[in-house]
Amino acid sequence: MDLTYYNPLRAQDIVVQNPEALSQKLASTLPEGTKVRFVARPFVQDLTSLKNLQVHLEREKLPTRHAFSCVLVAEESTEASLEILKQLNFTQLILEVDLQAPQIETLKSFFELASQYHFKVVLELKKQSTTDEATLAHLLLFLQGQQGDFELASIEGLFDSVEQEQRFQKCAILSRASHETSRFEAYMNQQFYEALYAFLKMKLPPRVSTVLEINPFASQAFYRDYTRVHLPWKVTLSELKNNQLDREHLKSLGKTFDVIVLFRALPRLRDPQKELLILQKYTRPTTEWVIIQYNPLTLPTLAALTQNRFHNLAPHSPYWSFLQMQSKQSIERLFEFSGLQFEWFPTEVSTQEFAPIIEQLELAINPEFPLEWDAFLQQANTMMLSAYGTMAESLDDELDSAEEGFAEGFVTEGFL
């Protein structure tokens, strides 16, 4: 197993052929915090080799001391191999892309697989000979559609025409900002997910036994494998398909639920009103709703918009490609038909860390729109909004009588 790595202190490659020798060299020669880049192209990904490497690196506690990077072959990557790389603190994965045959479908599958682990994915374009215009155009269109999933490395000298180079250069510049934003959003999603379950344990009444969670990230390992066995209710995960509810999955469940949770799902629905009407079939009059919604009026969002760095973070679909940002008011309008009343719980963060952003934006916005700027700042530190929806008290009698006609656990037509 070739484990040759680049030593930045000596500015040279250190040849190592086995995990034991590697762990000993790293532990004895590199100070904590040094980034380690493996030179082998490609880095071996078979599980036996990776597990052997894991044993020796963890024995010296190296994953807590160093961040690693390597060059991979995308088609050799699996969820299991990437999981081990994540555990070993590999933070950057590099893929070589042949401009003559870019293997777009393989890249797309890799992006979907790698996105759940927050790796920094760097694409290095390689040119062997003249590439035809159609192939380059197809690759560029694909990369533009996948912004947020990768960072494009230097492209200087790769293209025959100035126009081609300018187009890919623009894509490269945008890719750096969008990939950083996407990885940060994925990290924040997981933090808010932890907060969601703390909120549910605090808020849900004792009568609750079943929860249906609509989660666009449900297939990702973090959400799929999240430990729920200790919870007093059974959680059923359901993801989105082409920016719609997974109708076949919901139909197969064949029952109603005590609680419906929408975790960052509303902005990704092609037609939120229509999907909510369908979702009502899996509720009872006493079903409660919990909506976890990113606040669009935040400093990072405004900064991204003003710098043209706001991009689609939703799963890509040929039918729908833009997030529909939702506010408190728009969510309440969506649910007007249902008779639900919402109680709102903001998740706030200190604006101190955003001081540089505030300073920049204030110079640009405050002189022209002072009142609007003041109003914005009052809610700019609210990163996430949690909505808890229950039926209006005035409908209690009606609901009590209606509930007698519902069979517990079976699909009904809701309360439309």
Side-chain angles (χ1 to χ4, degrees):
M1 184 179 185
D2 185 2
L3 293 171
T4 301
Y5 67 94
Y6 178 74
N7 184 325
L9 302 182
R10 295 184 179 180
Q12 66 181 41
D13 293 343
I14 307 298
V15 179
V16 183
Q17 295 298 329
N18 64 77
E20 184 177 5
L22 172 69
S23 61
Q24 290 174 355
K25 278 188 173 294
L26 293 179
S28 62
T29 62
L30 293 184
E32 185 172 349
T34 305
K35 295 183 178 180
V36 178
R37 174 170 57 86
F38 289 101
V39 177
R41 291 176 179 255
F43 190 76
V44 175
Q45 289 190 82
D46 74 88
L47 295 184
T48 301
S49 298
L50 287 178
K51 289 177 180 178
N52 189 26
L53 176 64
Q54 185 174 23
V55 168
H56 290 282
L57 292 185
E58 290 183 346
R59 182 177 295 163
E60 298 290 342
K61 297 182 171 53
L62 293 171
T64 64
R65 299 179 57 195
H66 304 288
F68 300 92
S69 64
C70 64
V71 178
L72 298 181
V73 173
E75 53 264 36
E76 295 179 2
S77 299
T78 64
E79 184 172 318
S81 66
L82 294 186
E83 178 68 33
I84 294 176
L85 292 178
K86 184 64 178 179
Q87 293 171 4
L88 293 177
N89 200 29
F90 277 72
T91 58
Q92 177 173 292
L93 305 181
I94 303 167
L95 302 180
E96 294 182 342
V97 179
D98 183 358
L99 287 176
Q100 280 69 40
Q103 303 295 320
I104 286 176
E105 288 303 315
T106 300
L107 284 175
K108 183 176 181 180
S109 298
F110 180 86
F111 290 155
E112 293 175 356
L113 190 61
S115 63
Q116 58 189 300
Y117 297 106
H118 315 319
F119 293 117
K120 180 179 181 180
V121 177
V122 178
L123 300 186
E124 291 185 352
L125 303 184
K126 299 296 180 181
K127 178 183 177 182
Q128 305 297 332
S129 59
T130 302
T131 307
D132 68 273
E133 292 281 349
T135 301
L136 287 178
H138 188 39
L139 175 60
L140 181 61
L141 185 63
F142 166 73
L143 294 178
Q144 289 171 337
Q146 297 287 149
Q147 286 288 353
D149 293 330
F150 65 93
E151 176 180 311
L152 195 56
S154 174
I155 62 168
E156 187 175 352
L158 289 174
F159 300 96
D160 299 324
S161 74
V162 175
E163 184 178 4
Q164 288 175 344
E165 183 167 332
Q166 287 177 340
R167 289 175 178 174
F168 275 88
Q169 185 62 41
K170 183 178 180 180
C171 180
I173 293 171
L174 180 59
S175 73
R176 293 166 199 142
S178 62
H179 190 36
E180 179 184 351
T181 304
S182 180
R183 292 170 62 226
F184 177 73
E185 192 216 28
Y187 167 77
M188 291 303 297
N189 277 345
Q190 293 187 1
Q191 302 306 304
F192 287 127
Y193 197 71
E194 297 276 4
L196 161 66
Y197 274 88
F199 176 76
L200 293 179
K201 285 188 283 188
M202 174 191 73
K203 193 66 179 174
L204 295 186
R207 68 172 182 81
V208 170
S209 61
T210 58
V211 175
L212 174 61
E213 180 184 321
I214 306 299
N215 187 334
F217 319 111
S219 62
Q220 295 184 10
F222 175 84
Y223 303 95
R224 184 192 64 219
D225 302 333
Y226 189 82
T227 302
R228 302 179 180 87
V229 292
H230 64 288
L231 299 174
W233 0 271
K234 178 177 174 54
V235 179
T236 301
L237 275 181
S238 188
E239 60 181 340
L240 303 181
K241 297 290 187 181
N242 291 325
N243 302 94
Q244 297 176 316
L245 294 171
D246 188 345
R247 289 165 171 71
E248 290 301 317
H249 177 242
L250 292 176
K251 188 176 180 180
S252 71
L253 299 176
K255 64 179 182 179
T256 57
F257 293 84
D258 296 320
V259 177
I260 304 291
V261 174
L262 297 174
F263 180 76
R264 302 220 54 195
L266 283 178
R268 290 167 167 80
L269 294 175
R270 189 188 316 172
D271 186 343
Q273 190 75 80
K274 178 181 177 181
E275 301 304 306
L276 289 176
L277 290 171
I278 293 172
L279 203 52
Q280 291 287 344
K281 296 180 180 180
Y282 304 93
T283 67
R284 297 187 292 276
T286 54
T287 294
E288 297 173 352
W289 293 69
V290 176
I291 301 170
I292 304 298
Q293 176 65 37
Y294 184 79
N295 177 24
L297 298 177
T298 62
L299 284 161
T301 300
L302 182 59
L305 284 168
T306 55
Q307 297 178 47
N308 195 27
R309 290 168 60 177
F310 188 71
H311 61 287
N312 172 32
L313 297 176
H316 296 285
S317 163
Y319 308 106
W320 190 258
S321 58
F322 299 101
L323 288 171
Q324 297 185 89
M325 302 304 289
Q326 299 285 352
S327 65
K328 290 170 59 174
Q329 292 75 17
S330 64
I331 290 174
E332 289 177 341
R333 285 196 297 269
L334 279 174
F335 282 88
E336 278 180 347
F337 70 89
S338 67
L340 289 172
Q341 289 186 343
F342 285 102
E343 184 180 5
W344 293 89
F345 301 85
T347 300
E348 298 180 346
V349 297
S350 172
T351 56
Q352 185 175 0
E353 61 182 296
F354 298 124
I357 299 178
I358 294 175
E359 185 177 341
Q360 287 183 339
L361 294 176
E362 188 164 27
L363 291 174
I365 300 173
N366 190 45
E368 296 293 331
F369 307 100
L371 295 179
E372 290 81 357
W373 176 247
D374 288 342
F376 170 79
L377 286 180
Q378 291 177 15
Q379 53 189 319
N381 65 330
T382 299
M383 294 294 291
M384 186 70 71
L385 295 167
S386 302
Y388 188 76
T390 55
M391 292 296 289
E393 292 183 6
S394 60
L395 297 178
D396 278 352
D397 293 339
E398 179 183 343
L399 294 179
D400 289 342
S401 61
E403 191 173 21
E404 296 175 2
F406 282 80
E408 177 75 21
F410 291 93
V411 173
T412 72
E413 290 303 314
F415 48 86
L416 298 180

